[in-house]
Amino acid sequence: MSPHQDNIMIGIDDVRTAAARLDGHITATPLLALPALEELCGAPVLCKAENLQKTGSFKLRGALNHVLSLSRDERAGGIIAASSGNHAQAIAWAARLVGTYAVVVVPADAPQAKVHAAQALGAEVVHYARGGEDRDAIVAALARERGLAVVPSANSEQVIAGGGTVAAEILAETDQVSTLVVPVGGGGLAAGCAVAAKALSPNMRVVGVEPEHGADTVLSLRQGRRVSIPIPATIADGLTHATPAPLPFAINQALLDQVVTVGDAEIVEAMAAAFAHLKVVVEPSGACALAAVMCGRIEIFSGTIGVVLSGGNIAWTTFRSLVGRAETAGGDRGVPGLHAGSVQRAASTP
Amino acid sequence: MSPHQDNIMIGIDDVRTAAARLDGHITATPLLALPALEELCGAPVLCKAENLQKTGSFKLRGALNHVLSLSRDERAGGIIAASSGNHAQAIAWAARLVGTYAVVVVPADAPQAKVHAAQALGAEVVHYARGGEDRDAIVAALARERGLAVVPSANSEQVIAGGGTVAAEILAETDQVSTLVVPVGGGGLAAGCAVAAKALSPNMRVVGVEPEHGADTVLSLRQGRRVSIPIPATIADGLTHATPAPLPFAINQALLDQVVTVGDAEIVEAMAAAFAHLKVVVEPSGACALAAVMCGRIEIFSGTIGVVLSGGNIAWTTFRSLVGRAETAGGDRGVPGLHAGSVQRAASTP
C-alpha cells in the first residue's frame, strides 16, 4: 500500500452516491471497440466515449454531482466556476437543470466554441487574462460579492466522485479491462476513476496521461509535492493546468500506477484515428489517453485496455486545421490516423 | 389498414429472433439527445447512432442476421454480396465471425475507404461498372460458379428483420418517440423499422428519407409499383439505388407513413450539425434523416422525433471537402451546422 493512501478523502461509496444522483441526468456513454488498434497495441482496446456525454465532456458528471449536493439555499444563490471551457458548459447545464444562475470565469484565450456554448446555455461569462490574474482570487471575490456557490473544476470531493462514475460504468459493463488510461488535467477525473477502479477491481492498473508541455502532475509526482510549471503551451486546451489541484493530487499520488506524457502530434494522430475508426469527434485533451496507447507509451500486460475519451468540444475549423496535417498518415487510402500496415493488421478481428 | 398490408412477409417475431441472434455480436448503439435542434424542430430529437455500430453502419445487423440463419453447409461454402460499400464491410465482418470466406461485388465508383475496409477485414473484392453491367447477374453467376451463398443488401427477410432491431432498441429505451425518421436506400432498414415500430407502438409514425436525386422509392410509391430511375447522382453514396428492392418495397408501401426527400446541401448541414452538437461522424447517406428533420421536411405533431443516423463510413478527406462548405453557416462562432439563432434557441434546454 502506498504511504499516501491515508490521504484519500473519498471512497467507492461517494462514487456510488454520485451515480445515484446523476442517474437520469447524464448519458450512459457507450464503450466503443477499436479493433483497428488491437494488433498495434497487443491488446484489445475499448474507448469510453465521454465526448458523447451531455455538454460534450465528462465534466457534467462532477459539476452536476457537486451542484446536486448543495443545499437548496446554496443553489438558489447561483453558482460560479473557473474553467477553460468544458467545466463552464457543465456548470451552465447544471445551473439550468436545477433552475439557478451560473457565472463562469474563463481565460481570454479559451476556445470560442466552448465559451459560446456556455453562453448559449445561459451562463454569464467573465474573462480573465491567463498568467496575469489569479483566477481563483477572481472567483472567490465574485462569489463573496454576489453570494455565489463555488463549484471547483477538480478540487472537490463531489466533483472527483462524479468523475469516478466513468470508471464505475466501465466496470459495470465489462470485467475485461486490466488497464484504464485517463487524461489528467486538474486531476479530478483520474482521481475519481482511480478510487472507483481500485475499489471495484483491485488489480486494475490506472494510468494517467498529460500533454508533454503541461506535465505538472508528472513533475509533482516525481518531486513528491505539488509544483507549478509555466502556463502550458499545448493543443490540449482542457489540460493546461500549471499545478495539480490538491485533493485529486493526494489521491493520484496514492492510487495511480503511472502518469505518462504525449506530444501534440501524437494527440492529433489519435483524433484522426477516432474519426476514422470510431466515427467520433474527440478534442485534443480528450484524445490524450488514446494517443498514449497508440504510440506505445502504455506498458501492456494482458487483458483489455480501457481508454477514456474525455471530451469532444472542438470547433470544426480547429479540428480541420489540426487533423488536416494527419492525413498524410492515411494517404490515398483515405484512412487517416493509422498507417496502412496497421489497417491491414486490423484484419485480425473479430 | 393499408390495402398492401397482406403483402408483408415478416413480423415482430422475426425482429425478436434477429435481436436474440445478434445479441453479443453487435453494439447496442446509444440514443443521443440533440437539444440544439429542439426549438428549431418544435420537438425533442433523439438520434440512434448506428454510425457507431461495428463496421460503421447499421448494415451489420441485417447481414449478420442473414449469415447466422444460413445452414452450416451454406456458411461453409462462403458468402457473396453486392454493395456500394457498407454492406460489403458488414459481409466481411460476418464472414470472419462465422469463419468463412466473403466476396463483395462493388461498383467501380464506390468510396475507396469503404472498399479498403472490406478488404482489410479479409473480403475478396470484385469491381463492376455501375450502369454498364447488371450487378445482380454478376453476383448470381459468381455464386453459382463458386458455390457461394448470396446475402442480399436489402431483399431478404433476415436482412430486413436485422434492420428492424434498430427500431426495437429505440423502443426498448424510450417510449417518447412519436415519429421515427429513417433513411431509405434499398429500403430494408425502413421496412424493418416500420415492422418493429408498428408492432410495438402502433401509433408511431415512420417516415422514410431519400436523397432528392435518388428518389426511386418516392416515385415508386406514387406510381404504386416499383419503377427505375437513372443512376442517382448524389453525395449519399449508400442510397444510390435505381429501384427499390421488392421485399422491402412491399412492406414500405404498406407501413411507411411518408417518404420525403432532401438535397445534398441539406445533407451536408446535417453532417456538420452532427459533428458540432453530437460529436459524431456521419456519412452523407447516414445524415439524410437528420437533414430532413433539420430542414423542416418532417411534419411534427407531438412527442419526440427519433432519427436514425445509419452510418459513419466516410474518408476524412471527403468529409473535410464536403463540410468545409458548411462552415459559413456557423461562421466565426465556430459552430457549424446551425445558424447563430438556433444555437441561441438551444438555450431552452435542459
Side-chain angles (χ1 to χ4, degrees):
Chain A
M1 184 175 291
S2 156
H4 304 289
Q5 205 112 21
D6 53 358
N7 290 336
I8 300 178
M9 319 293 284
I10 74 162
I12 187 64
D13 287 344
D14 299 288
V15 177
R16 289 199 176 109
T17 304
R21 271 201 205 103
L22 296 175
D23 188 39
H25 297 305
I26 60 165
T27 300
T29 54
L31 206 48
L32 303 173
L34 190 37
L37 275 189
E38 184 160 339
E39 284 218 5
L40 193 68
C41 305
V45 177
L46 288 172
C47 297
K48 179 69 169 167
E50 280 296 298
N51 52 331
L52 307 181
Q53 187 52 265
K54 287 171 185 170
T55 74
S57 88
F58 79 97
K59 284 285 188 185
L60 184 62
R61 295 174 185 264
L64 193 51
N65 188 44
H66 189 105
V67 170
L68 291 175
S69 64
L70 294 175
S71 73
R72 187 179 295 255
D73 278 0
E74 283 171 320
R75 283 188 209 176
I79 57 178
I80 184 168
S83 169
S84 63
N86 283 341
H87 185 54
Q89 289 180 66
I91 287 300
W93 185 282
R96 204 165 258 278
L97 188 75
V98 304
T100 192
Y101 189 77
V103 179
V104 293
V105 177
V106 301
D109 62 353
Q112 285 218 313
K114 291 182 176 181
V115 177
H116 286 139
Q119 278 174 318
L121 286 165
E124 175 187 339
V125 173
V126 176
H127 286 284
Y128 75 99
R130 210 196 293 257
E133 305 172 71
D134 177 350
R135 75 173 195 178
D136 292 336
I138 298 169
V139 167
L142 278 169
R144 211 168 34 238
E145 278 166 32
R146 297 172 57 177
L148 303 162
V150 179
V151 185
S153 65
N155 204 47
S156 143
E157 292 174 21
Q158 307 303 343
V159 168
I160 294 169
T165 62
V166 171
E169 277 181 19
I170 294 171
L171 278 155
E173 192 171 334
T174 176
D175 60 0
Q176 300 300 306
V177 173
S178 57
T179 303
L180 183 63
V181 190
V182 187
V184 176
L189 177 63
C193 284
V195 166
K198 298 292 182 181
L200 297 170
S201 179
N203 292 326
M204 186 184 284
R205 293 168 67 235
V206 182
V207 178
V209 183
E210 287 191 303
E212 63 188 17
H213 299 296
D216 51 307
T217 293
V218 167
L219 197 65
S220 298
L221 288 173
R222 203 173 290 155
Q223 303 207 5
R225 62 183 179 85
R226 294 168 53 237
V227 296
S228 288
I229 60 171
I231 298 168
T234 164
I235 59 170
D237 57 77
L239 306 179
T240 53
H241 292 253
T243 187
L247 268 181
F249 182 70
I251 296 172
N252 289 333
Q253 203 173 18
L255 297 185
L256 290 188
D257 292 274
Q258 193 183 5
V259 180
V260 301
T261 62
V262 289
D264 282 357
E266 293 162 336
I267 292 171
V268 170
E269 280 287 311
M271 293 166 66
F275 182 102
H277 300 289
L278 293 175
K279 323 298 177 190
V280 294
V281 178
V282 188
E283 63 181 285
S285 322
C288 280
L290 181 57
V293 173
M294 281 177 60
C295 66
R297 210 62 44 85
I298 310 289
E299 205 178 345
I300 305 302
F301 298 99
S302 63
T304 295
I305 309 173
V307 167
V308 180
L309 304 176
S310 54
N313 290 318
I314 181 168
W316 161 242
T317 46
T318 310
F319 189 94
R320 188 181 55 175
S321 75
L322 287 175
V323 176
R325 295 184 214 154
E327 83 185 286
T328 46
D332 62 4
R333 297 179 63 89
V335 183
L338 290 175
H339 306 286
S342 62
V343 171
Q344 284 303 331
R345 285 195 292 274
S348 68
T349 51
Chain B
M1 184 173 295
S2 157
H4 304 287
Q5 206 111 19
D6 53 359
N7 290 336
I8 300 179
M9 318 294 282
I10 74 161
I12 187 64
D13 287 344
D14 300 288
V15 178
R16 289 199 176 109
T17 304
R21 271 200 205 105
L22 297 174
D23 188 39
H25 297 305
I26 60 165
T27 300
T29 54
L31 206 48
L32 303 173
L34 190 37
L37 274 190
E38 185 161 339
E39 283 218 5
L40 193 69
C41 305
V45 176
L46 288 172
C47 296
K48 180 70 169 168
E50 280 296 298
N51 52 331
L52 307 182
Q53 187 53 261
K54 287 170 185 170
T55 73
S57 89
F58 78 97
K59 284 285 188 185
L60 184 63
R61 295 174 185 265
L64 193 52
N65 188 44
H66 189 105
V67 170
L68 291 175
S69 64
L70 294 175
S71 72
R72 187 179 296 255
D73 278 359
E74 284 171 319
R75 284 188 208 174
I79 57 179
I80 185 169
S83 168
S84 63
N86 283 342
H87 185 55
Q89 288 180 66
I91 287 300
W93 185 282
R96 204 166 259 278
L97 188 73
V98 305
T100 191
Y101 188 78
V103 179
V104 294
V105 177
V106 301
D109 61 353
Q112 284 217 314
K114 291 182 175 180
V115 176
H116 286 140
Q119 278 174 318
L121 286 165
E124 175 186 340
V125 173
V126 176
H127 286 285
Y128 75 99
R130 211 196 294 256
E133 306 171 72
D134 177 350
R135 75 173 195 178
D136 292 335
I138 298 169
V139 168
L142 278 170
R144 211 168 34 239
E145 279 165 33
R146 297 173 55 177
L148 303 162
V150 179
V151 185
S153 65
N155 204 46
S156 144
E157 293 174 20
Q158 307 303 344
V159 168
I160 295 169
T165 61
V166 171
E169 278 181 20
I170 294 171
L171 278 155
E173 191 171 334
T174 176
D175 59 0
Q176 300 299 305
V177 173
S178 58
T179 303
L180 182 63
V181 190
V182 187
V184 176
L189 177 64
C193 284
V195 166
K198 298 292 182 180
L200 298 170
S201 179
N203 292 326
M204 186 183 285
R205 292 169 68 236
V206 182
V207 178
V209 183
E210 287 190 303
E212 65 188 15
H213 299 297
D216 51 306
T217 293
V218 167
L219 198 66
S220 298
L221 288 172
R222 202 173 290 155
Q223 303 207 7
R225 61 183 179 86
R226 295 168 52 237
V227 297
S228 288
I229 60 171
I231 299 168
T234 164
I235 59 170
D237 57 78
L239 306 179
T240 53
H241 292 252
T243 187
L247 268 181
F249 183 70
I251 296 171
N252 288 333
Q253 204 172 19
L255 296 185
L256 290 188
D257 292 274
Q258 193 183 5
V259 180
V260 301
T261 62
V262 289
D264 282 357
E266 293 162 335
I267 292 171
V268 170
E269 281 286 311
M271 292 166 67
F275 182 102
H277 300 289
L278 293 175
K279 322 298 176 191
V280 293
V281 178
V282 188
E283 63 180 284
S285 322
C288 280
L290 180 57
V293 174
M294 281 177 59
C295 66
R297 211 61 45 84
I298 310 288
E299 204 177 346
I300 305 302
F301 298 99
S302 62
T304 295
I305 309 174
V307 167
V308 180
L309 303 176
S310 54
N313 290 318
I314 181 167
W316 161 243
T317 47
T318 311
F319 189 94
R320 187 180 57 174
S321 76
L322 287 174
V323 176
R325 296 184 213 154
E327 82 186 288
T328 46
D332 61 3
R333 295 180 65 88
V335 183
L338 290 175
H339 306 286
S342 63
V343 171
Q344 284 303 331
R345 285 196 291 274
S348 68
T349 52

